[in-house]
Amino acid sequence: MRRTAIAAVCLATAATAGLTACGSEGGSAKKAEKGPFAGMSGGEIAEKAVEATSDAKSLRIKGDVPDGEGGMLALDMAMDTKGKCAGTMGMNKEGSIELIVPGKTVYMKYDEKFLRAQSKGEPEADVQATVDMLADRWAKTKATSADAKEIAAFCDLDTVLADFKGVSSVARRGGTTKVDGTPAIKLTETDGKEKYTLYVATEGKPYLLRVDTEKGAKVDTLNFRDYDKPVKATAPTGDVLDLDKL
């Protein structure tokens, strides 16, 4: 169950990271003469955003993204380049997981809905035993254990943003707006039936602030927040199940 969830997270994040290389619009974007990023094309701005974002020491990713298998993943996770992370993820509206990685130990808490959804087809007695043992209860395991390696890798921001580096974009410039109060410029790209709108900060470092993925009437939004802020990954105390001792 842990592997299913984390694999989906990695797929979703990788897809978002690679979107600036997905543009299919021909020709070069028109250079702007005034305003933010004067004299730069949309592709050049996107590449600056990719560079700034990939150099971040920490950030928070929040939003809904495809899980690579036709479903959706709801993600709200803060992480840094030292391997710390904390937040929640939900699978296809079928429950959620809380995750805290303060260092060499991975802490997880599953809700009952998630456990039952991931155990479909299993004998009812086994499902109930899993729910009784794990639901709404913190469990821990070493980050080096077989089941936790994928989680630990996801919590390393350098690993998550690895696909950001070295991309080439043909994004087009749009107008200016604000994302959570931060001035931003809009950039657009298309890839087949999908249209991407990127929002890049125009003040301070040109961080990527938001990505909207539009397919037909459906729009999925992913926000990038809390750049370079400390990740609050405090280990839970009290009733914590040690999976390594089972």
Side-chain angles (χ1 to χ4, degrees):
M1 286 180 283
R2 290 194 295 278
R3 288 180 177 176
T4 299
I6 300 305
V9 173
C10 292
L11 281 170
T13 307
T16 302
L19 66 87
T20 53
C22 292
S24 58
E25 295 172 331
S28 59
K30 182 180 179 180
K31 300 276 186 172
E33 300 299 330
K34 298 180 180 180
F37 301 109
M40 295 180 65
S41 68
E44 290 169 338
I45 298 170
E47 288 161 20
K48 284 183 69 69
V50 164
E51 181 180 0
T53 300
S54 62
D55 286 341
K57 300 302 180 185
S58 65
L59 59 78
R60 176 184 172 196
I61 303 174
K62 182 177 182 180
D64 297 320
V65 287
D67 66 2
E69 298 180 355
M72 294 300 295
L73 180 77
L75 183 68
D76 187 355
M77 191 73 62
M79 62 192 74
D80 66 19
T81 55
K82 296 180 180 179
K84 290 184 178 180
C85 72
T88 61
M89 61 187 79
M91 300 285 291
N92 295 320
K93 297 182 180 180
E94 294 183 338
S96 62
I97 310 169
E98 291 184 60
L99 179 66
I100 299 176
V101 182
K104 297 181 179 180
T105 302
V106 174
Y107 295 86
M108 299 158 289
K109 184 195 288 188
Y110 307 94
D111 66 14
E112 180 176 346
K113 187 176 181 181
F114 176 85
L115 291 171
R116 291 192 179 279
Q118 295 296 311
S119 302
K120 286 179 180 178
E122 298 296 324
E124 179 57 32
D126 292 347
V127 175
Q128 189 59 50
T130 300
V131 169
D132 291 342
M133 181 175 68
L134 292 175
D136 300 318
R137 180 186 190 184
W138 283 107
K140 69 178 182 179
T141 184
K142 293 179 181 178
T144 54
S145 69
D147 286 334
K149 285 183 179 179
E150 292 173 348
I151 299 176
F154 170 67
C155 285
D156 185 343
L157 185 59
D158 284 335
T159 300
V160 172
L161 297 182
D163 288 340
F164 264 61
K165 301 180 184 296
V167 303
S168 178
S169 173
V170 293
R172 294 181 181 273
R173 290 181 63 125
T176 56
T177 184
K178 287 187 177 182
V179 177
D180 293 330
T182 300
I185 188 171
K186 293 195 295 185
L187 309 174
T188 59
E189 291 195 11
T190 58
D191 180 22
K193 296 181 179 180
E194 293 185 333
K195 177 181 178 181
Y196 299 102
T197 302
L198 288 67
Y199 298 80
V200 178
T202 58
E203 293 182 358
K205 295 182 180 180
Y207 287 133
L208 181 64
L209 301 178
R210 192 174 99 192
V211 177
D212 291 341
T213 303
E214 182 179 346
K215 189 173 183 179
K218 191 174 186 298
V219 180
D220 299 318
T221 296
L222 200 62
N223 292 280
F224 296 78
R225 304 173 176 173
D226 298 341
Y227 280 94
D228 296 324
K229 292 185 178 181
V231 175
K232 297 179 181 179
T234 304
T237 58
D239 181 24
V240 179
L241 180 66
D242 191 339
L243 298 178
D244 297 328
K245 293 182 179 180
L246 293 179

